[in-house]
Amino acid sequence: MQRDVLSSMLALVLSFCALTNLAAAEETLFEFRGDFDVAQVATQDAQATLVSDSALRVETGHKNEWPGIKLKAPNGSWDLSDFRQLAFDLHNPGDKEISIGCRIDSPDEEGKSDSCQEIFTLAADERKTCLLTIGRRMPAGLAKKLFGMRGYPGGITPDKGIDAARVTQILVFVPRPKEDRAFELAAIRATGQSTAGHITRLGEKLFPLIDEYGQFIHAEWPGKTHSEADLAEAKQREAADLAAQPGPSDWNQYGGWAAGPQLEATGFFRVEKVKGKWWLVDPEGRLFWSHGIDCVRDGNATTPISDRENYFRGLPAKDSPWGVFYGHAGWAPHGYYQGKEYDTFNFTGANLLRKYGPEWNSQFAELCHRRIRSWGLNTIGNWSDPAIAAMGKTVYVATVGSGGRRIEGSEGYWGKFPDPFDPSFREALDRRMAGERGKTADDPWCLGYFVDNELGWGDELSLALGALQSPADQSAKQAFIADLKAKYEAIEKLNAAWGTEHASWDALMASRTAPDKAKARADLEAFYTRVAEEYFRHCREAVKQVAPNHLYLGCRFAWVNDRAVRASAKYCDVIGFNKYSYSIADFTLPEGIDKPAIVGEFHFGALDRGMFHTGLRPVADQNARAAAYKSYVLGALDNPHWVGTHWFQWGDQATTGRGDGENYQIGFMDVCDTPYPETIQASREVGAALYRTRYEGAKP
């Protein structure tokens, strides 16, 4: 019996060692030198030629949606089982930013093609190694046991991914270009050691997979917490670091440039263009550039535990001091928990109690402000704890949601689009802004207000089509048909223009069929603009009615078209965007619009510290993440439109995911409240030179 136990323990140790101490590996799949045969490159609306014996130049047209190249595996397929990523050495030789898509394919069990794909952005004349993570099909034995996450151990996934042992082709392309473009590809390499095979071999021994601190059990990495003594040591180490580096010395209390020019002081934030670049101006009349971070709060690593209690080792008793970190939730717009209620546990909060003791809440709140200033940041971004923001120590943004009835025929990742013509829209917005009286309204530390987040703006016809595909009592539909009546007068004239056969205006009102887009385009575009302008007008009026001294920052565009941006420019003081890309240096607004803009969210993540998903923009490791952070913010500082960037988010998401499954390595801290030193250093370097970089063009 004892021998069996020892054998089992040894097997676990060997699996653990194999998983955590794998040597890095690399294999070149393509290198485009003088002996490379260009004839093996299949093209689609593109031409491929060798450049200087070192790269393949691909010049694309713009008639095809995905012009580019296809590279077949020389022997039918590659076995990439041992590799975590493909590295593409890319160069943008042009004078404009370019998006480049990279994709790998493998056959599924039915012989159809599965794929992994990532879109990368390169600034003008930028050279960059872009990493495509190889998503793996989950083995059948684990498929029903691992769920509720976006990323899984070893890169395996239950609902998508490829057979890494049979990769048949690689595609590199420009997604939906509006003009001819070009890029250069120097090499394609398989890199990084995959742990997928080792995860699979663990089988049932994979569970539990999360330790008492919310960390992955079956891996080691620098900075991992193993005990409460580690937490105490980290606390002391950071206290000394913060004392030694309190923050930039040339900032005023708000984080504005005390050493810079004195402008008009209004007691609140405003915008002004100075030396050809847009700026925020703080309440004291100093230039201000918003270097911020989202989700400053204690619950970033809250995770569902229902139906998967076996994932977690040593969850505390509910009647213990840690019992307060159990919760119950129902928010899950996607994934396993969609439409369900579930129990949760907040690992961040539990670790803060362990680290700071019974008064952890107040200590954490104070520490947030010290960290922000020390790290060269000056703004608390969206989704943060209002109590922390209200302490009068760091500038913050406020956010409200519009509410009211939605356009039933519309679509969006986070839900349907609000109907700005419906009275409930304005009523809900007015109620929510009224709740800001005596709180954020008239608080000089409040930079301004975002209203809503990542709405489904679609293409330039989508909202008009959504109105027509809604029921007859939809206010937006009634407004659209009223416009059509005013223009065409008779239904027969509309039918002639649209190629439709509606018997009457009432018949059109009852219909939920979309018209031919080409024939109805002019009317659809016009009403789309009206929807967008109605939305932004109501939002601005609601904000200014309660908080006339504050900035209206827009809706945090994620997926957007020029028509919607033009509408926003008429009403927003600053136009908010969530820009998940590697660079925003070349960002431009639609022609003729000159307004300030702010980034509400961006991030980068890596898989070298025990997490299962990189987030929306992957990088190789923590050093690369720090470099990407620095490059992104410096690019924004060079661009005349940007007046700030806010990183998403304060701490890593839970290793096992939040309600919708997001489990990204995107924090400035890990689940144990331990800062990532590489990213912190990058933030400090940017912050220390923030204003000289923006105003004088100096580089840190």
Side-chain angles (χ1 to χ4, degrees), residues 97 121 292-295 381-383 397-400 413-414 449-457 535-536 553-561 565 568 574-584 587 589 596-604 616-617 632 636 642 644-649 653 658 662 664 666:
E97 180 181 275
T121 302
I293 189 165
D294 295 324
C295 304
N382 227 48
W383 319 120
V397 297
T399 185
V400 296
Y413 183 80
W414 298 113
Y449 294 84
F450 289 113
V451 180
D452 290 327
N453 178 65
E454 296 188 348
L455 295 173
W457 291 98
Y535 169 84
F536 286 112
L553 306 173
C555 63
R556 297 158 56 91
F557 287 127
W559 313 278
V560 71
N561 59 76
V565 175
S568 75
V574 181
I575 306 175
F577 294 84
N578 291 350
K579 295 291 287 185
Y580 287 100
S581 58
Y582 291 96
S583 173
I584 55 171
F587 170 85
L589 290 168
I598 192 167
V599 173
E601 294 181 13
F602 77 104
H603 66 222
F604 310 100
L616 300 180
R617 287 295 175 261
Y632 186 101
W642 296 119
T645 56
H646 297 172
W647 171 273
F648 185 88
Q649 60 180 22
Q653 293 174 333
R658 64 184 192 183
E662 281 192 13
Y664 300 163
I666 52 174

Side-chain angles (χ1 to χ4, degrees), residues 422-442:
D422 196 282
S424 65
F425 171 79
R426 182 59 190 262
E427 291 166 3
L429 189 53
D430 286 345
R431 280 196 306 272
R432 294 183 184 185
M433 276 305 303
E436 300 301 312
R437 286 193 172 95
K439 298 177 181 177
T440 60
D442 289 329

Side-chain angles (χ1 to χ4, degrees), residues 40 88 144 151 216 269 289 312 390 396 414 435 451 474 553 635 637 687-688 696:
Q40 65 182 288
F88 295 80
K144 294 183 179 179
F216 186 42
F269 279 90
W289 204 86
F312 307 99
Y396 65 91
W414 298 113
V451 180
Q474 185 83 55
L553 306 173
L637 286 164
E696 301 170 0

Side-chain angles (χ1 to χ4, degrees), residues 73-86:
N75 298 314
S77 67
W78 292 283
D79 183 354
L80 303 181
S81 302
D82 293 334
F83 298 99
R84 187 173 74 243
Q85 297 162 318
L86 285 192

Side-chain angles (χ1 to χ4, degrees), residues 371-448:
R371 282 172 164 172
I372 287 170
R373 180 58 69 104
S374 173
W375 296 346
L377 301 165
N378 60 14
T379 308
I380 294 174
N382 227 48
W383 319 120
S384 296
D385 184 341
I388 294 176
M391 293 172 69
K393 296 186 176 185
T394 304
V395 170
Y396 65 91
V397 297
T399 185
V400 296
S402 58
R405 185 176 179 181
R406 305 281 151 167
I407 298 176
E408 294 184 30
S410 66
E411 297 178 350
Y413 183 80
W414 298 113
K416 299 179 185 297
F417 196 88
D419 185 345
F421 298 95
D422 196 282
S424 65
F425 171 79
R426 182 59 190 262
E427 291 166 3
L429 189 53
D430 286 345
R431 280 196 306 272
R432 294 183 184 185
M433 276 305 303
E436 300 301 312
R437 286 193 172 95
K439 298 177 181 177
T440 60
D442 289 329
D443 180 1
W445 292 90
C446 178
L447 192 155

Side-chain angles (χ1 to χ4, degrees), residues 35 139 210 217 230 259 278 547 613 670:
D35 57 349
I210 301 298
I217 289 174
D230 285 351
W278 281 104
H613 200 299
D670 67 13

Side-chain angles (χ1 to χ4, degrees), residues 15 22 88 113 182 260 278 281 320-321 448 450 487 591 616 620 630:
S15 295
L22 292 166
F88 295 80
S113 181
W278 281 104
V281 179
S320 74
F450 289 113
K487 176 180 179 179
E591 186 176 358
L616 300 180
K630 193 171 180 179

